[in-house]
């Protein structure tokens, strides 16, 4: 009797001191403008203590003498840096229940606790300042990017996969053949969940895919309805062939990417992708990175030709030509005020390729304009996308009379016309670098008629000067390329008027002189980025 009184007294004291248990009724995630919060709703306000774990980053709220009638619970959330929260009910002192609310994060941040009223507690954390610059992870990415550690020795493959999936709160379907799949020994430390599943299953002849939040494991050689999913991606900027090539290293062994056109005969502005559902998070990320507006580059080119002087045996001598003009000052709105042409030209002597600023280009043009043997051949402008080849050709076709066959018995010889092209062509592929420089892959050809041959002197002789090079030019600057020299040898007849044309006396009153001159081709290239 005395013992019973003591037990009743202890029970009364325990309930008086410890109090009745508080119930957690609901928990809700809510997103605000600048922060996320978890709202915990009780039937009273419990006592609590908090703790933080640095590796992996976890914030834990331990609620004393608190119960939760829904059992252990977890939910993945899009609340970066928070990824998931879980509720675990544990036994405490004197049969008191303790409730652990854990928030798993990508990095530790300050979590504030506030009691809104007598029944509601709020856990809140700020959004990252650079949230707009960070790609939000999908639910699949969030789950399968979580790090796991495993250490098994001679364990059944069935048990390893089941424990791995269940520990991460995922649903699982296993085929009957995997039950007797044998044993596996492994040691994985802090690897992504997806990589762990791939490593464990593929090496044993199995594979997995996710469908409606269920992980399905099957043998590699078997097919399963719903294993693959088809999606069509609309491409606004990138070509379908480029996107398809970029996905080659991302698609699984059963995946494919086919460029298609929205209209018959049009460009490949769409991409049909067929692959496992788990692969689409990475596929979408790559397509988003590729399908962005590309800058354009305008390329202005001047083809100029000048006849070399007798003293210019090794190419154009800018110093010599500048001295022939004199110390003329050029007004360039303050950019190069009070600079003499002779000083500038001296810096360019001996160069076959040099980068120029726009005022320097204007000064060189002044030197060439003062020489009546210089002429502008063509001045094409072409605009193209970054790393996209562009081609332009300017010229003419000359019809040439060409005999056909040996002629007929009546002495007539059939003729036909063939076109002789004389063009200035340019093919260029620009590529922008991060340092505001533009790499140019240039292939150009300049053709010109230098004379005529044949019985009637009606067949043109065409010279060709070709250049195939890759250069680097700063955005908005100009590059001068020289050294393309052509030597023209021609016969000139000097004669006395009237007497030099008489049939018998023309040899006395005329003479033939061989003339030789050199002409140098100068190419000015100015690329500019156009957004």
């Amino acid at each position: 009797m005395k013992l019973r009184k003591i037990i009743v007294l202890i029970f009364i004291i325990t309930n008086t001191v410890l109090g009745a248990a508080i119930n957690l009724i609901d928990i809700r995630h809510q997103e605000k403008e600048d922060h996320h919060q978890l709202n915990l709703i009780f039937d009273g306000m419990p006592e609590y203590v908090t703790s933080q774990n640095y590796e992996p980053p976890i914030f834990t709220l331990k609620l004393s003498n608190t119960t939760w009638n829904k059992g252990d619970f977890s939910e993945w959330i899009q609340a970066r840096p928070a990824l998931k929260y879980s509720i675990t009910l544990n036994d405490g002192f004197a049969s008191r229940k303790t409730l652990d609310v854990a928030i798993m994060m990508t990095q530790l941040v300050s979590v504030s606790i506030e009691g809104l009223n007598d029944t509601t507690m709020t856990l809140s954390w700020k959004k990252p300042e650079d949230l707009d610059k960070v790609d939000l992870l999908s639910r699949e990415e969030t789950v399968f990017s979580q790090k796991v550690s495993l250490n098994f020795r001679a364990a059944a493959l069935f048990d390893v996969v089941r424990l791995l999936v269940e520990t991460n709160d995922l649903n699982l379907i296993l085929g009957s053949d995997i039950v007797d799949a044998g044993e596996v020994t492994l040691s994985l430390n802090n690897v992504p969940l997806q990589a762990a599943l791939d490593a464990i299953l593929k090496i044993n002849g199995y594979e997995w895919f996710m469908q409606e939040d269920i992980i399905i494991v099957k043998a590699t050689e078997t097919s399963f309805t719903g294993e693959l999913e088809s999606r069509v991606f609309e491409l606004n900027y990138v070509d379908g062939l480029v996107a398809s090539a970029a996905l080659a290293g991302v698609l699984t062994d059963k995946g494919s990417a086919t460029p298609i056109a929205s209209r018959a005969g049009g460009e490949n502005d769409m991409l049909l992708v067929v692959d496992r559902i788990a692969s689409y998070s990475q596929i979408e990320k790559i397509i988003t990175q590729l399908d962005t507006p590309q800058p354009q580059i305008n390329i202005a080119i001047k083809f100029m030709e000048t006849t070399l002087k007798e003293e210019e045996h090794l190419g154009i001598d800018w110093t010599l030509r500048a001295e022939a003009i004199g110390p003329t000052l050029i007004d360039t709105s303050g950019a190069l005020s009070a600079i003499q042409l002779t000083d500038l030209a001296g810096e360019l002597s001996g160069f076959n390729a040099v980068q120029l600023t726009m005022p320097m280009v204007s000064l060189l043009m002044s030197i060439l304009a003062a020489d009546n043997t210089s002429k502008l051949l063509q001045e094409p402008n072409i605009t193209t996308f970054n790393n996209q080849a562009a081609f332009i050709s300017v010229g003419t076709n000359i019809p040439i009379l060409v005999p056909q066959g040996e002629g007929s018995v009546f002495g007539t010889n059939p003729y036909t016309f063939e076109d002789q092209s004389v063009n200035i062509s340019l093919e260029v592929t620009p590529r922008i670098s991060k340092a505001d420089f533009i790499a140019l892959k240039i292939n150009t050809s300049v053709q010109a008629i230098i004379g005529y041959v044949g019985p009637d002197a009606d067949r043109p002789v065409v010279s060709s000067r070709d250049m195939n090079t890759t250069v680097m030019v700063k955005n908005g600057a100009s590059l001068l390329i020289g050294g393309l020299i052509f030597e023209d040898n021609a016969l000139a007849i000097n004669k006395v008027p009237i007497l030099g044309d008489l049939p018998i006396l023309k040899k006395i009153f005329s003479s033939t002189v061989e003339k030789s001159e050199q002409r140098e081709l100068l190419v000015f290239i100015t690329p500019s980025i156009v957004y």
Side-chain angles (χ1 to χ4, degrees):
M1 185 69 178
K2 186 176 181 180
L3 179 61
R4 181 181 298 178
K5 291 181 179 179
I6 294 174
I7 295 174
V8 172
L9 181 61
I10 293 175
F11 178 79
I12 295 174
I13 294 175
T14 302
N15 280 279
T16 303
V17 176
L18 300 181
I22 295 175
N23 296 315
L24 173 62
I25 301 173
D26 196 7
I27 181 169
R28 301 170 185 170
H29 165 245
Q30 192 173 13
E31 181 178 2
K32 298 293 185 178
E33 182 177 355
D34 60 347
H35 69 279
H36 290 274
Q37 64 185 42
L38 278 180
N39 296 323
L40 286 75
I41 302 173
F42 304 90
D43 59 4
M45 187 56 65
E47 297 178 346
Y48 63 86
V49 63
T50 64
S51 63
Q52 285 186 323
N53 185 52
Y54 287 88
E55 186 59 38
I58 297 177
F59 171 87
T60 302
L61 172 69
K62 187 176 289 292
L63 301 167
S64 176
N65 196 25
T66 306
T67 62
W68 165 257
N69 59 10
K70 297 180 182 180
D72 291 348
F73 175 81
S74 65
E75 183 178 7
W76 296 92
I77 55 177
Q78 293 284 352
R80 297 189 68 168
L83 299 176
K84 173 185 175 182
Y85 72 87
S86 62
I87 301 175
T88 306
L89 187 62
N90 301 306
D91 293 328
F93 171 72
S95 300
R96 293 179 53 173
K97 297 292 185 180
T98 61
L99 200 63
D100 291 345
V101 179
I103 303 176
M104 184 172 60
M105 302 181 174
T106 57
Q107 64 184 52
L108 281 181
V109 294
S110 176
V111 178
S112 61
I113 302 177
E114 182 180 358
L116 298 181
N117 49 52
D118 293 339
T119 59
T120 303
M121 178 185 297
T122 297
L123 308 180
S124 63
W125 58 94
K126 291 185 177 180
K127 293 181 179 180
E129 295 181 357
D130 58 347
L131 184 61
D132 294 337
K133 303 178 183 179
V134 177
D135 294 331
L136 291 178
L137 299 177
S138 65
R139 184 183 184 280
E140 288 78 9
E141 287 180 297
T142 302
V143 173
F144 292 118
S145 62
Q146 300 311 302
K147 301 298 181 64
V148 297
S149 298
L150 302 171
N151 190 6
F152 288 95
R153 182 177 180 180
L157 178 64
F158 172 84
D159 292 330
V160 173
V161 174
R162 181 176 56 81
L163 290 173
L164 180 62
V165 173
E166 290 179 355
T167 303
N168 288 273
D169 303 316
L170 297 172
N171 301 312
L172 177 66
I173 294 179
L174 296 172
S176 57
D177 55 341
I178 198 175
V179 177
D180 301 321
E183 298 178 340
V184 61
T185 298
L186 58 93
S187 178
L188 301 176
N189 184 30
N190 205 29
V191 299
L193 174 59
Q194 181 170 349
L197 284 172
D198 288 340
I200 295 171
L201 292 172
K202 289 184 178 180
I203 199 172
N204 290 281
Y206 292 89
E207 60 183 3
W208 65 277
F209 65 96
M210 191 169 184
Q211 186 179 37
E212 299 295 336
D213 293 335
I214 302 174
I215 290 182
I216 302 174
V217 179
K218 66 180 189 64
T220 305
E221 64 274 7
T222 61
S223 297
F224 191 93
T225 302
E227 177 183 1
L228 302 179
E229 180 174 295
S230 300
R231 298 185 189 180
V232 176
F233 294 90
E234 182 178 350
L235 305 176
N236 297 310
Y237 306 102
V238 68
D239 185 83
L241 290 173
V242 176
S244 176
L247 292 177
V250 178
L251 298 172
T252 64
D253 55 339
K254 295 186 178 181
S256 65
T258 306
I260 56 177
S262 56
R263 294 180 180 271
E267 297 294 330
N268 295 319
D269 57 350
M270 305 180 79
L271 190 67
L272 172 63
V273 180
V274 180
D275 208 345
R276 295 183 175 91
I277 299 175
S279 302
Y280 275 102
S281 58
Q282 186 68 16
I283 292 172
E284 290 174 352
K285 185 179 297 184
I286 291 178
I287 292 178
T288 301
Q289 293 175 349
L290 290 174
D291 195 29
T292 57
Q294 295 294 314
Q296 301 179 82
I297 299 97
N298 175 264
I299 304 167
I301 298 185
K302 287 183 173 66
F303 293 97
M304 298 197 68
E305 188 178 62
T306 184
T307 302
L308 299 180
K309 311 299 181 184
E310 294 183 1
E311 300 86 350
E312 297 174 323
H313 302 292
L314 301 177
I316 188 170
D317 189 332
W318 294 102
T319 304
L320 179 65
R321 298 201 177 197
E323 290 175 348
I325 301 175
T328 306
L329 295 179
I330 301 298
D331 182 15
T332 57
S333 302
L336 280 178
S337 58
I339 290 186
Q340 293 183 340
L341 288 175
T342 51
D343 294 338
L344 175 62
E347 297 177 1
L348 299 176
S349 297
F351 285 94
N352 282 334
V354 64
Q355 192 165 170
L356 309 170
T357 61
M358 290 307 296
M360 294 172 70
V361 173
S362 299
L363 293 177
L364 294 186
M365 290 296 174
S366 299
I367 296 177
L368 295 174
D371 185 358
N372 57 11
T373 65
S374 301
K375 61 180 179 180
L376 178 65
L377 301 180
Q378 287 292 340
E379 191 177 8
N381 271 266
I382 192 168
T383 301
T384 184
F385 284 107
N386 181 37
N387 206 26
Q388 179 72 45
F391 178 79
I392 187 173
S393 179
V394 180
T396 185
N397 290 328
I398 301 175
I400 302 174
L401 196 63
V402 179
Q404 299 292 314
E406 298 295 334
S408 66
V409 295
F410 301 102
T412 59
N413 195 14
Y415 285 85
T416 186
F417 284 96
E418 292 184 357
D419 288 337
Q420 171 67 57
S421 299
V422 181
N423 300 324
I424 295 179
S425 61
L426 170 69
E427 182 178 4
V428 60
T429 304
R431 185 164 56 88
I432 301 173
S433 69
K434 291 184 178 180
D436 207 26
F437 279 86
I438 303 174
L440 300 172
K441 184 179 181 181
I442 302 171
N443 187 4
T444 183
S445 177
V446 178
Q447 297 176 330
I449 298 175
I450 60 174
Y452 291 87
V453 296
D456 300 322
D458 58 350
R459 297 188 180 183
V461 178
V462 179
S463 70
S464 179
R465 281 168 285 183
D466 302 325
M467 178 177 64
N468 190 346
T469 185
T470 301
V471 295
M472 183 79 73
V473 188
K474 192 169 181 62
N475 178 31
S478 296
L479 186 75
L480 169 59
I481 299 178
L484 299 174
I485 301 174
F486 173 77
E487 186 170 351
D488 184 15
N489 297 315
L491 296 177
I493 300 176
N494 296 327
K495 59 185 178 179
V496 178
I498 301 176
L499 296 177
D501 294 326
L502 295 177
I504 299 176
L505 300 177
K506 64 180 181 179
K507 292 185 178 181
I508 302 175
F509 295 98
S510 65
S511 62
T512 301
V513 180
E514 182 177 356
K515 289 187 176 181
S516 178
E517 67 176 13
Q518 290 182 318
R519 297 197 295 270
E520 181 172 355
L521 178 67
L522 303 173
V523 184
F524 292 84
I525 305 172
T526 305
S528 301
I529 299 176
V530 182
Y531 289 97

